[in-house]
Amino acid sequence: MFFSKYSASGNDFLLTHTFKYQANSYRDIAKIICHRQKGIGADGLIVLKPHNIYDIEWEFYNSDGSQPNMCGNGTRATAMYARDFGLAAQKQKILTKAGVINVELQEDMVESELTQAVILQKDIIEFNIKWWLIDTGVPHLVCENANLSKEDLKSLRHKYNANVNIAKLDEGRVIARTFERGVEDETLACGTGMAAMFYYLFKQGKVSNSTLFNPASGENLYLKEEKGKIFLKGRVKKICDFIYQI
């Protein structure tokens, strides 16, 4: 099978496309090729499929084969892959399990209009720290300025069945840390996680409505809110094409 590898601000994905519509057929392949020692290695697998209304419909798989409703950086990587292979233009509509995501490309910068954030629960106390649980396409547990180990984050991920995020304000920017379910580790970036962190801080008046985020990858991402929607913007780069013998 033919695949390409793209990195969206640190989140890396393996992508392929098909002109046949066949749902939920790539779970086992995702577990094989996303494995960092036994396969190519990636945070997730994205399969682009045709749609009679929208530019693209996708199947998205985490590296463990699970299928989340959304992935913010995944939509940005998808849009660049679709443009590179002539499947869609600069402005695209991508159908995900969380709904339709509007994406726009400007050279190597890609901006996704994410789904509306929903606060599921406020003032959760864990490790003597106050957290919010926010859905930005997938659920995220969010706090500020916590110094917790990876094992602590892992325990919260399983307790709340959510991604776990820590935001740290630093001279006008936000340093972001995320433990992702489905990958079951900290990742270099998480688009919906940064959206949840932005929403958490913005609703409390701690950041302006156009904020620079630096995830573990060190790359720059920009988040803002317009008419209730959160926009995520950053660079995407193609790593390689390859053929993998399944």
Short mmCIF file of all heavy atoms in Angstrom, two decimals, residues 65-114:
data_model
loop_
_atom_site.label_atom_id
_atom_site.label_comp_id
_atom_site.label_asym_id
_atom_site.label_seq_id
_atom_site.Cartn_x
_atom_site.Cartn_y
_atom_site.Cartn_z
N GLY A 65 -5.18 1.74 17.18
CA GLY A 65 -6.30 1.24 16.40
C GLY A 65 -7.64 1.81 16.78
O GLY A 65 -8.64 1.59 16.08
N SER A 66 -7.71 2.56 17.86
CA SER A 66 -8.98 3.17 18.27
C SER A 66 -9.31 4.34 17.35
O SER A 66 -8.44 4.90 16.69
CB SER A 66 -8.91 3.65 19.73
OG SER A 66 -7.88 4.63 19.89
N GLN A 67 -10.60 4.71 17.32
CA GLN A 67 -11.07 5.76 16.42
C GLN A 67 -11.71 6.91 17.20
O GLN A 67 -12.87 6.83 17.60
CB GLN A 67 -12.09 5.19 15.43
CG GLN A 67 -11.49 4.27 14.38
CD GLN A 67 -12.50 3.86 13.34
OE1 GLN A 67 -13.21 2.89 13.51
NE2 GLN A 67 -12.57 4.62 12.26
N PRO A 68 -10.98 8.00 17.42
CA PRO A 68 -11.57 9.16 18.08
C PRO A 68 -12.48 9.91 17.11
O PRO A 68 -12.42 9.72 15.89
CB PRO A 68 -10.34 10.00 18.43
CG PRO A 68 -9.36 9.67 17.35
CD PRO A 68 -9.58 8.21 17.04
N ASN A 69 -13.31 10.78 17.67
CA ASN A 69 -14.21 11.56 16.83
C ASN A 69 -13.49 12.64 16.03
O ASN A 69 -13.92 13.02 14.94
CB ASN A 69 -15.30 12.21 17.68
CG ASN A 69 -16.30 11.20 18.20
OD1 ASN A 69 -16.46 10.12 17.64
ND2 ASN A 69 -16.98 11.54 19.29
N MET A 70 -12.37 13.15 16.58
CA MET A 70 -11.71 14.29 15.95
C MET A 70 -10.23 14.28 16.26
O MET A 70 -9.77 13.67 17.21
CB MET A 70 -12.32 15.60 16.46
CG MET A 70 -13.00 16.42 15.40
SD MET A 70 -11.87 17.04 14.14
CE MET A 70 -11.09 18.38 15.00
N CYS A 71 -9.49 15.00 15.43
CA CYS A 71 -8.07 15.28 15.67
C CYS A 71 -7.76 16.58 14.95
O CYS A 71 -7.77 16.64 13.72
CB CYS A 71 -7.19 14.15 15.16
SG CYS A 71 -5.42 14.50 15.30
N GLY A 72 -7.49 17.63 15.72
CA GLY A 72 -7.29 18.95 15.12
C GLY A 72 -6.10 19.00 14.17
O GLY A 72 -6.20 19.46 13.03
N ASN A 73 -4.93 18.53 14.64
CA ASN A 73 -3.76 18.54 13.77
C ASN A 73 -3.92 17.55 12.62
O ASN A 73 -3.36 17.74 11.55
CB ASN A 73 -2.50 18.22 14.59
CG ASN A 73 -2.05 19.41 15.40
OD1 ASN A 73 -2.26 20.56 15.03
ND2 ASN A 73 -1.43 19.14 16.54
N GLY A 74 -4.70 16.49 12.85
CA GLY A 74 -4.98 15.54 11.78
C GLY A 74 -5.72 16.18 10.62
O GLY A 74 -5.47 15.86 9.45
N THR A 75 -6.66 17.08 10.92
CA THR A 75 -7.38 17.76 9.83
C THR A 75 -6.44 18.64 9.02
O THR A 75 -6.59 18.78 7.80
CB THR A 75 -8.55 18.62 10.36
OG1 THR A 75 -8.05 19.65 11.22
CG2 THR A 75 -9.56 17.76 11.11
N ARG A 76 -5.45 19.23 9.69
CA ARG A 76 -4.50 20.09 8.97
C ARG A 76 -3.59 19.26 8.08
O ARG A 76 -3.30 19.64 6.95
CB ARG A 76 -3.71 20.93 9.97
CG ARG A 76 -4.60 21.87 10.78
CD ARG A 76 -3.85 22.95 11.55
NE ARG A 76 -2.82 22.42 12.42
CZ ARG A 76 -1.51 22.57 12.22
NH1 ARG A 76 -1.08 23.22 11.15
NH2 ARG A 76 -0.64 22.08 13.08
N ALA A 77 -3.12 18.10 8.58
CA ALA A 77 -2.31 17.21 7.75
C ALA A 77 -3.12 16.66 6.57
O ALA A 77 -2.62 16.55 5.44
CB ALA A 77 -1.76 16.07 8.60
N THR A 78 -4.38 16.33 6.83
CA THR A 78 -5.26 15.82 5.78
C THR A 78 -5.42 16.83 4.66
O THR A 78 -5.36 16.49 3.47
CB THR A 78 -6.63 15.47 6.37
OG1 THR A 78 -6.48 14.37 7.28
CG2 THR A 78 -7.63 15.09 5.30
N ALA A 79 -5.63 18.08 5.03
CA ALA A 79 -5.83 19.12 4.02
C ALA A 79 -4.60 19.28 3.12
O ALA A 79 -4.73 19.43 1.90
CB ALA A 79 -6.17 20.44 4.70
N MET A 80 -3.41 19.24 3.70
CA MET A 80 -2.21 19.39 2.88
C MET A 80 -2.00 18.17 1.98
O MET A 80 -1.64 18.31 0.81
CB MET A 80 -0.98 19.64 3.75
CG MET A 80 0.27 19.88 2.92
SD MET A 80 1.66 20.53 3.85
CE MET A 80 1.15 22.25 4.05
N TYR A 81 -2.24 16.98 2.52
CA TYR A 81 -2.15 15.76 1.69
C TYR A 81 -3.13 15.85 0.52
O TYR A 81 -2.77 15.57 -0.63
CB TYR A 81 -2.46 14.55 2.56
CG TYR A 81 -2.50 13.23 1.81
CD1 TYR A 81 -1.39 12.38 1.81
CD2 TYR A 81 -3.65 12.81 1.15
CE1 TYR A 81 -1.43 11.16 1.14
CE2 TYR A 81 -3.70 11.59 0.48
CZ TYR A 81 -2.59 10.77 0.48
OH TYR A 81 -2.64 9.57 -0.18
N ALA A 82 -4.37 16.26 0.81
CA ALA A 82 -5.39 16.34 -0.24
C ALA A 82 -5.00 17.36 -1.31
O ALA A 82 -5.20 17.12 -2.51
CB ALA A 82 -6.73 16.71 0.37
N ARG A 83 -4.41 18.48 -0.90
CA ARG A 83 -3.96 19.47 -1.88
C ARG A 83 -2.79 18.92 -2.70
O ARG A 83 -2.74 19.05 -3.93
CB ARG A 83 -3.54 20.76 -1.18
CG ARG A 83 -3.12 21.87 -2.14
CD ARG A 83 -2.41 23.00 -1.44
NE ARG A 83 -1.11 22.57 -0.89
CZ ARG A 83 -0.30 23.37 -0.19
NH1 ARG A 83 -0.67 24.61 0.07
NH2 ARG A 83 0.85 22.92 0.26
N ASP A 84 -1.83 18.29 -2.01
CA ASP A 84 -0.64 17.79 -2.69
C ASP A 84 -0.98 16.74 -3.75
O ASP A 84 -0.31 16.65 -4.78
CB ASP A 84 0.34 17.19 -1.68
CG ASP A 84 1.02 18.24 -0.81
OD1 ASP A 84 0.88 19.45 -1.12
OD2 ASP A 84 1.67 17.86 0.18
N PHE A 85 -2.01 15.94 -3.50
CA PHE A 85 -2.37 14.87 -4.42
C PHE A 85 -3.55 15.23 -5.33
O PHE A 85 -4.12 14.37 -5.99
CB PHE A 85 -2.65 13.58 -3.64
CG PHE A 85 -1.40 12.91 -3.14
CD1 PHE A 85 -0.87 13.24 -1.90
CD2 PHE A 85 -0.74 11.97 -3.91
CE1 PHE A 85 0.29 12.65 -1.44
CE2 PHE A 85 0.42 11.36 -3.47
CZ PHE A 85 0.95 11.70 -2.22
N GLY A 86 -3.90 16.52 -5.35
CA GLY A 86 -4.93 16.98 -6.27
C GLY A 86 -6.33 16.52 -5.94
O GLY A 86 -7.20 16.49 -6.81
N LEU A 87 -6.57 16.19 -4.66
CA LEU A 87 -7.88 15.71 -4.25
C LEU A 87 -8.81 16.86 -3.83
O LEU A 87 -10.02 16.69 -3.79
CB LEU A 87 -7.75 14.73 -3.08
CG LEU A 87 -6.85 13.51 -3.31
CD1 LEU A 87 -6.72 12.71 -2.03
CD2 LEU A 87 -7.40 12.65 -4.44
N ALA A 88 -8.23 18.01 -3.49
CA ALA A 88 -9.03 19.16 -3.04
C ALA A 88 -8.20 20.42 -3.23
O ALA A 88 -6.99 20.36 -3.46
CB ALA A 88 -9.44 18.99 -1.57
N ALA A 89 -8.87 21.57 -3.12
CA ALA A 89 -8.22 22.85 -3.35
C ALA A 89 -7.71 23.46 -2.05
O ALA A 89 -7.51 22.76 -1.05
CB ALA A 89 -9.21 23.79 -4.05
N GLN A 90 -7.51 24.79 -2.04
CA GLN A 90 -6.96 25.47 -0.87
C GLN A 90 -7.95 25.51 0.29
O GLN A 90 -7.55 25.50 1.45
CB GLN A 90 -6.55 26.89 -1.24
CG GLN A 90 -5.46 26.98 -2.30
CD GLN A 90 -4.12 26.47 -1.80
OE1 GLN A 90 -3.72 25.36 -2.12
NE2 GLN A 90 -3.45 27.26 -1.00
N LYS A 91 -9.24 25.62 -0.02
CA LYS A 91 -10.28 25.60 1.00
C LYS A 91 -11.02 24.27 0.91
O LYS A 91 -11.43 23.88 -0.18
CB LYS A 91 -11.24 26.77 0.81
CG LYS A 91 -10.62 28.14 1.07
CD LYS A 91 -11.66 29.25 0.97
CE LYS A 91 -11.04 30.61 1.26
NZ LYS A 91 -12.05 31.70 1.19
N GLN A 92 -11.17 23.61 2.05
CA GLN A 92 -11.73 22.27 2.05
C GLN A 92 -12.72 22.08 3.18
O GLN A 92 -12.64 22.75 4.22
CB GLN A 92 -10.60 21.24 2.23
CG GLN A 92 -9.51 21.32 1.18
CD GLN A 92 -8.36 20.38 1.48
OE1 GLN A 92 -8.50 19.41 2.22
NE2 GLN A 92 -7.20 20.66 0.90
N LYS A 93 -13.62 21.13 2.96
CA LYS A 93 -14.55 20.68 4.00
C LYS A 93 -14.29 19.20 4.23
O LYS A 93 -14.42 18.40 3.29
CB LYS A 93 -16.00 20.93 3.59
CG LYS A 93 -16.38 22.40 3.51
CD LYS A 93 -17.85 22.57 3.18
CE LYS A 93 -18.23 24.04 3.11
NZ LYS A 93 -18.15 24.71 4.42
N ILE A 94 -13.91 18.87 5.46
CA ILE A 94 -13.55 17.50 5.81
C ILE A 94 -14.59 16.94 6.77
O ILE A 94 -14.84 17.53 7.84
CB ILE A 94 -12.15 17.45 6.46
CG1 ILE A 94 -11.10 18.02 5.50
CG2 ILE A 94 -11.79 16.02 6.86
CD1 ILE A 94 -9.74 18.21 6.13
N LEU A 95 -15.18 15.83 6.43
CA LEU A 95 -16.20 15.21 7.27
C LEU A 95 -15.52 14.27 8.27
O LEU A 95 -14.88 13.29 7.87
CB LEU A 95 -17.22 14.45 6.42
CG LEU A 95 -18.33 13.74 7.20
CD1 LEU A 95 -19.16 14.73 8.02
CD2 LEU A 95 -19.23 12.94 6.25
N THR A 96 -15.66 14.57 9.56
CA THR A 96 -15.15 13.74 10.64
C THR A 96 -16.32 13.22 11.45
O THR A 96 -17.47 13.62 11.25
CB THR A 96 -14.21 14.54 11.56
OG1 THR A 96 -15.00 15.43 12.37
CG2 THR A 96 -13.21 15.35 10.75
N LYS A 97 -16.06 12.37 12.42
CA LYS A 97 -17.12 11.89 13.31
C LYS A 97 -17.67 13.00 14.20
O LYS A 97 -18.77 12.89 14.73
CB LYS A 97 -16.60 10.74 14.17
CG LYS A 97 -16.43 9.43 13.41
CD LYS A 97 -16.08 8.32 14.38
CE LYS A 97 -16.03 6.98 13.67
NZ LYS A 97 -15.75 5.86 14.61
N ALA A 98 -16.89 14.07 14.36
CA ALA A 98 -17.34 15.21 15.16
C ALA A 98 -18.08 16.25 14.34
O ALA A 98 -18.57 17.24 14.87
CB ALA A 98 -16.15 15.86 15.87
N GLY A 99 -18.18 16.03 13.03
CA GLY A 99 -18.85 16.98 12.15
C GLY A 99 -17.92 17.45 11.05
O GLY A 99 -16.82 16.93 10.87
N VAL A 100 -18.36 18.46 10.32
CA VAL A 100 -17.60 18.98 9.19
C VAL A 100 -16.61 20.04 9.68
O VAL A 100 -16.98 20.97 10.40
CB VAL A 100 -18.53 19.59 8.13
CG1 VAL A 100 -17.72 20.20 6.99
CG2 VAL A 100 -19.49 18.53 7.60
N ILE A 101 -15.35 19.87 9.27
CA ILE A 101 -14.29 20.81 9.64
C ILE A 101 -13.87 21.59 8.41
O ILE A 101 -13.51 21.00 7.38
CB ILE A 101 -13.07 20.06 10.23
CG1 ILE A 101 -13.49 19.18 11.41
CG2 ILE A 101 -11.98 21.05 10.63
CD1 ILE A 101 -14.10 19.93 12.58
N ASN A 102 -13.94 22.92 8.49
CA ASN A 102 -13.48 23.79 7.41
C ASN A 102 -11.99 24.06 7.59
O ASN A 102 -11.54 24.42 8.69
CB ASN A 102 -14.23 25.12 7.42
CG ASN A 102 -15.70 24.94 7.09
OD1 ASN A 102 -16.05 24.38 6.06
ND2 ASN A 102 -16.57 25.40 7.97
N VAL A 103 -11.23 23.89 6.51
CA VAL A 103 -9.77 24.05 6.56
C VAL A 103 -9.33 24.93 5.40
O VAL A 103 -9.87 24.83 4.29
CB VAL A 103 -9.05 22.69 6.49
CG1 VAL A 103 -7.55 22.87 6.71
CG2 VAL A 103 -9.62 21.71 7.51
N GLU A 104 -8.35 25.79 5.67
CA GLU A 104 -7.80 26.65 4.62
C GLU A 104 -6.28 26.59 4.65
O GLU A 104 -5.67 26.65 5.73
CB GLU A 104 -8.27 28.09 4.79
CG GLU A 104 -7.80 29.01 3.68
CD GLU A 104 -8.42 30.39 3.73
OE1 GLU A 104 -9.27 30.63 4.60
OE2 GLU A 104 -8.05 31.23 2.88
N LEU A 105 -5.66 26.47 3.46
CA LEU A 105 -4.22 26.40 3.34
C LEU A 105 -3.67 27.68 2.75
O LEU A 105 -4.26 28.26 1.83
CB LEU A 105 -3.79 25.23 2.45
CG LEU A 105 -4.12 23.83 2.92
CD1 LEU A 105 -5.46 23.35 2.36
CD2 LEU A 105 -3.02 22.85 2.53
N GLN A 106 -2.51 28.12 3.28
CA GLN A 106 -1.74 29.21 2.71
C GLN A 106 -0.29 28.77 2.71
O GLN A 106 0.39 28.86 3.74
CB GLN A 106 -1.93 30.50 3.52
CG GLN A 106 -3.36 31.03 3.51
CD GLN A 106 -3.54 32.25 4.40
OE1 GLN A 106 -2.69 32.55 5.24
NE2 GLN A 106 -4.64 32.95 4.23
N GLU A 107 0.15 28.23 1.59
CA GLU A 107 1.48 27.62 1.47
C GLU A 107 1.62 26.50 2.51
O GLU A 107 0.87 25.54 2.49
CB GLU A 107 2.58 28.68 1.56
CG GLU A 107 2.50 29.70 0.42
CD GLU A 107 3.60 30.72 0.46
OE1 GLU A 107 4.37 30.75 1.45
OE2 GLU A 107 3.69 31.51 -0.50
N ASP A 108 2.58 26.64 3.47
CA ASP A 108 2.74 25.56 4.45
C ASP A 108 1.98 25.82 5.74
O ASP A 108 2.06 25.04 6.68
CB ASP A 108 4.22 25.33 4.77
CG ASP A 108 4.89 26.52 5.46
OD1 ASP A 108 4.32 27.64 5.39
OD2 ASP A 108 5.96 26.33 6.06
N MET A 109 1.23 26.92 5.80
CA MET A 109 0.38 27.22 6.96
C MET A 109 -1.03 26.70 6.70
O MET A 109 -1.59 26.94 5.63
CB MET A 109 0.34 28.72 7.24
CG MET A 109 1.67 29.31 7.65
SD MET A 109 2.24 28.74 9.28
CE MET A 109 1.13 29.64 10.36
N VAL A 110 -1.57 26.00 7.68
CA VAL A 110 -2.90 25.41 7.53
C VAL A 110 -3.73 25.77 8.76
O VAL A 110 -3.29 25.57 9.89
CB VAL A 110 -2.83 23.88 7.37
CG1 VAL A 110 -4.21 23.33 7.05
CG2 VAL A 110 -1.83 23.49 6.29
N GLU A 111 -4.94 26.29 8.52
CA GLU A 111 -5.83 26.68 9.61
C GLU A 111 -7.11 25.86 9.56
O GLU A 111 -7.76 25.77 8.52
CB GLU A 111 -6.17 28.16 9.53
CG GLU A 111 -7.03 28.65 10.70
CD GLU A 111 -7.25 30.15 10.67
OE1 GLU A 111 -7.85 30.64 9.69
OE2 GLU A 111 -6.81 30.82 11.62
N SER A 112 -7.46 25.26 10.69
CA SER A 112 -8.70 24.48 10.81
C SER A 112 -9.68 25.19 11.72
O SER A 112 -9.31 25.70 12.79
CB SER A 112 -8.40 23.09 11.37
OG SER A 112 -7.74 22.29 10.43
N GLU A 113 -10.92 25.23 11.28
CA GLU A 113 -12.02 25.73 12.11
C GLU A 113 -12.60 24.53 12.86
O GLU A 113 -13.29 23.70 12.28
CB GLU A 113 -13.09 26.39 11.24
CG GLU A 113 -14.30 26.89 12.00
CD GLU A 113 -15.40 27.38 11.08
OE1 GLU A 113 -15.11 27.71 9.92
OE2 GLU A 113 -16.56 27.41 11.54
N LEU A 114 -12.30 24.45 14.14
CA LEU A 114 -12.68 23.29 14.92
C LEU A 114 -14.14 23.37 15.38
O LEU A 114 -14.79 24.41 15.24
CB LEU A 114 -11.75 23.15 16.13
CG LEU A 114 -10.25 23.08 15.82
CD1 LEU A 114 -9.44 22.94 17.11
CD2 LEU A 114 -9.94 21.94 14.86
#
